[in-house]
Amino acid sequence: MNKTLLFVTVLVIATCGLIYELIVGALASYLLGDSITQFSTVIGCYLFAMGIGSWLSRFIERGVPQRFVEIELGVALVGGACAPLLFLTFALTDMFRVVLYGCVLVIGTLVGLEIPLLLRILKDQLKFKDLVSQVLTFDYLGALAASITFPLLFVPKLGLVRTSLLFGLLNALVGLWSTWLLAPVLAHPNRLRVKAVVLSLLLVVGLVLGDRLTNFSEEHLYADEVVHATSSPYQRIVVTRGKRGFSLYLNGNLQFSSVDEYRYHEALVHPAMVRAGKVERVLVLGGGDGLAAREILRYPEVKTLTLVDLDPAMTELASGYGELAELNAHSLADPRMRVVNTDAMEFLRQERDTWDVIVVDFPDPNNFALGKLYTTGFYKLLKRRVAPDGVAVIQSTSPLYARRSFWCVDTTLKAAGFWTLPYHALVPSFGEWGYVLVAHEGTLPRRPLPEGLRFLTDDTHATLTLFPMDMGPLPAEVNRLNNQVLVHYYEEEWRRWN
């Protein structure tokens, strides 16, 4: 029995085990939102299931090597199939959470069985202290390898479905080579080899058809035809096309529809641009689709426009995908434009410049990673970067569907020291949508709107700050980094509508 190869086996199965955990957590956060909750519950259930597996291993008294190989093949089957199964379940049934945690419990239990059985197989080969230290060392090294390569290599290059199938295949191959490593102590090695080969072939077929499986599930997730889809280290980007135009989704959440995005972006940009002391230097945080930039570049006075978006895949799509580049009027190719792919909070911390206008166009605060960009800490950084006679504007979710969330944003901006002017506009794809204009003080100039707008006029502009009774102010806590109360408001309010 080759001890070195068995320790390599430990490394591989540890890597595979953590990869499955990360796949399920990432997929749950993509489809259900709130990545903190999804990863927390998935990791907790997975570790609990591993404990169950470790406890169950005591009842395996005979044929330990045989059971070890069978469990490897079981992990390969369930782990390899978990991502396509979950995508299809979400698209076609209402049983997603049941299947999600069922997969977690089954995979975790099987993975929990592996190490105790392997320790028992190796117990006659090494002293106990050496055995435990070496097995656990390779186990933890495998976990490190998985945690680094998953976000940096596998998700961007393969996507979740093919990553799942690839590591299932790797587990099946481990089971296959284990039939030779453990041949002297296996009762029926040839039967196991046949099972391993058949399973490997099935997973290879799945790998070849991986994109088709993803496309099939996404076609059932979205009302319109999926014409572009890609995964980055940060998000799943999907473009759909229907009779009325095309739409962009990030992690399943609609970002815009080409049929009415002009209403959203005109309302976002122009109230700030016409109230700033000057508009020579403009900063956009988020807005990687280039649509806010299109509106800003209507002003000939703009000398520099800096766009900061975390995901280079998004800004590359905005400049390279024909329909989107045409819709944003090729704004990212404008000579006045500078694109920076980095975290917006880090950008504000490191910069020392100020801007005449800052447009903050982040996705809604539906998880804690986004919620940090709506806190007093972020807004205080933002305040330092607004020129003395400058203004900023923040997209602030719907004051109708998420009323307390909207006013929480306003309350938080005031707590950060801003003067605020909340307003709203109707965007049919979203419903009533809210924004908050901020400045150092409330005395602001007012210049005419540019020509060529499709939604805003001087008359309609004046009505945006009027709120009906069902959208009016509500008391709300300040959103701070250590409480993220806005995320809780947001989840509670939108849950009533979805």
Side-chain angles (χ1 to χ4, degrees):
M1 191 181 302
N2 190 312
K3 295 194 293 280
T4 302
L5 288 179
L6 280 171
F7 287 128
V8 172
T9 298
V10 175
L11 180 69
V12 173
I13 63 177
T15 303
C16 292
L18 186 57
I19 287 287
Y20 300 138
E21 183 180 359
L22 293 171
I23 286 170
V24 175
L27 202 150
S29 67
Y30 278 12
L31 298 177
L32 300 177
D34 187 4
S35 58
I36 299 295
T37 298
Q38 304 311 327
F39 271 102
S40 179
T41 54
V42 165
I43 290 170
C45 290
Y46 188 83
L47 293 175
F48 170 71
M50 287 180 67
I52 293 175
S54 296
W55 180 76
L56 289 175
S57 68
R58 65 187 297 197
F59 298 105
I60 300 175
E61 297 180 356
R62 296 180 180 179
V64 171
Q66 186 90 5
R67 300 289 88 78
F68 173 77
V69 177
E70 291 171 347
I71 287 166
E72 277 301 296
L73 299 180
V75 174
L77 176 62
V78 183
C82 67
L85 176 64
L86 288 170
F87 265 122
L88 291 171
T89 301
F90 188 83
L92 303 175
T93 76
D94 295 324
M95 300 289 289
F96 178 76
R97 291 181 188 272
V98 173
V99 177
L100 172 74
Y101 290 105
C103 285
V104 171
L105 290 171
V106 171
I107 296 170
T109 300
L110 293 173
V111 171
L113 282 162
E114 290 175 320
I115 297 300
L117 295 183
L118 194 57
L119 286 170
R120 288 162 62 181
I121 292 169
L122 289 168
K123 64 182 175 59
D124 296 328
Q125 308 294 315
L126 293 167
K127 293 180 180 178
F128 180 74
K129 64 176 184 177
D130 295 329
L131 173 62
V132 172
S133 67
Q134 291 186 41
V135 168
L136 293 183
T137 296
F138 280 94
D139 186 48
Y140 296 145
L141 285 173
L144 175 64
S147 64
I148 293 173
T149 57
F150 179 76
L152 300 180
L153 177 62
F154 292 112
V155 173
K157 300 297 183 183
L158 298 178
L160 291 175
V161 168
R162 287 196 292 170
T163 298
S164 172
L165 291 163
L166 175 65
F167 278 86
L169 176 61
L170 194 56
N171 256 139
L173 294 176
V174 167
L176 182 60
W177 91 42
S178 296
T179 63
W180 275 278
L181 289 175
L182 304 174
V185 289
L186 289 175
H188 305 288
N190 288 331
R191 292 181 189 175
L192 291 174
R193 286 168 190 161
V194 171
K195 293 178 182 178
V197 169
V198 171
L199 180 56
S200 298
L201 291 174
L202 288 174
L203 291 166
V204 168
V205 171
L207 267 173
V208 173
L209 301 178
D211 287 339
R212 294 186 186 181
L213 290 170
T214 304
N215 293 340
F216 176 80
S217 60
E218 287 185 332
E219 284 170 3
H220 287 78
L221 284 175
Y222 302 103
D224 295 325
E225 177 190 6
V226 175
V227 294
H228 176 85
T230 186
S231 294
S232 77
Y234 308 103
Q235 58 200 347
R236 178 72 173 171
I237 303 170
V238 173
V239 179
T240 67
R241 185 188 295 115
K243 293 180 180 179
R244 299 187 308 154
F246 70 97
S247 302
L248 175 75
Y249 294 83
L250 299 180
N251 292 344
N253 298 308
L254 178 66
Q255 300 305 298
F256 70 79
S257 173
S258 62
V259 71
D260 60 7
E261 58 77 22
Y262 67 91
R263 294 179 68 98
Y264 172 89
H265 290 101
E266 287 183 18
L268 172 70
V269 168
H270 296 295
M273 294 294 286
V274 300
R275 284 182 169 89
K278 56 182 182 296
V279 293
E280 294 178 357
R281 291 170 47 79
V282 182
L283 172 66
V284 178
L285 301 176
D289 52 37
L291 297 170
R294 177 197 65 201
E295 296 302 318
I296 292 165
L297 292 170
R298 291 180 185 273
Y299 295 81
E301 308 98 301
V302 174
K303 293 182 178 178
T304 64
L305 172 55
T306 302
L307 187 149
V308 178
D309 192 282
L310 178 63
D311 194 350
M314 186 65 247
T315 51
E316 288 167 8
L317 183 73
S319 58
Y321 186 74
E323 284 184 301
L324 181 51
E326 185 177 345
L327 187 65
N328 66 37
H330 300 278
S331 59
L332 272 63
D334 191 283
R336 294 169 286 176
M337 170 68 76
R338 177 171 73 109
V339 176
V340 181
N341 294 120
T342 191
D343 179 82
M345 184 173 277
E346 288 303 310
F347 178 84
L348 294 181
R349 281 198 184 111
Q350 294 169 9
E351 282 291 321
R352 294 295 177 264
D353 290 338
T354 60
W355 283 268
D356 303 318
V357 178
I358 301 179
V359 176
V360 182
D361 189 19
F362 296 136
D364 273 8
N366 58 17
N367 61 58
F368 294 108
L370 289 168
K372 75 171 186 178
L373 303 175
Y374 291 80
T375 60
T376 50
F378 181 82
Y379 291 146
K380 286 177 180 178
L381 289 173
L382 181 70
K383 191 169 186 287
R384 296 175 197 163
R385 307 278 73 85
V386 179
D389 60 347
V391 300
V393 62
I394 293 91
Q395 94 77 15
S396 307
T397 197
S398 171
L400 178 62
Y401 302 129
R403 184 178 173 188
R404 196 176 300 275
S405 300
F406 174 81
W407 291 106
C408 176
V409 175
D410 181 67
T411 299
T412 304
L413 286 161
K414 288 177 179 175
F418 279 117
W419 171 85
T420 69
L421 180 65
Y423 65 98
H424 65 99
L426 176 63
V427 183
S429 292
F430 298 136
E432 286 290 344
W433 212 256
Y435 315 83
V436 182
L437 182 77
V438 299
H440 295 290
E441 57 184 37
T443 304
L444 300 175
R446 179 77 174 269
R447 64 173 62 84
L449 291 164
E451 295 182 358
L453 302 187
R454 300 169 61 191
F455 167 53
L456 280 184
T457 65
D458 288 330
D459 290 336
T460 57
H461 184 191
T463 68
L464 299 185
T465 56
L466 303 177
F467 284 83
M469 289 181 62
D470 60 351
M471 294 194 294
L474 283 179
E477 292 184 49
V478 174
N479 188 44
R480 303 184 190 279
L481 197 57
N482 70 331
N483 68 9
Q484 294 263 23
V485 66
L486 176 59
V487 176
H488 299 294
Y489 286 154
Y490 184 89
E491 286 181 350
E492 179 184 347
E493 291 181 308
W494 278 100
R495 193 180 297 122
R496 297 201 300 265
W497 300 92
N498 293 330

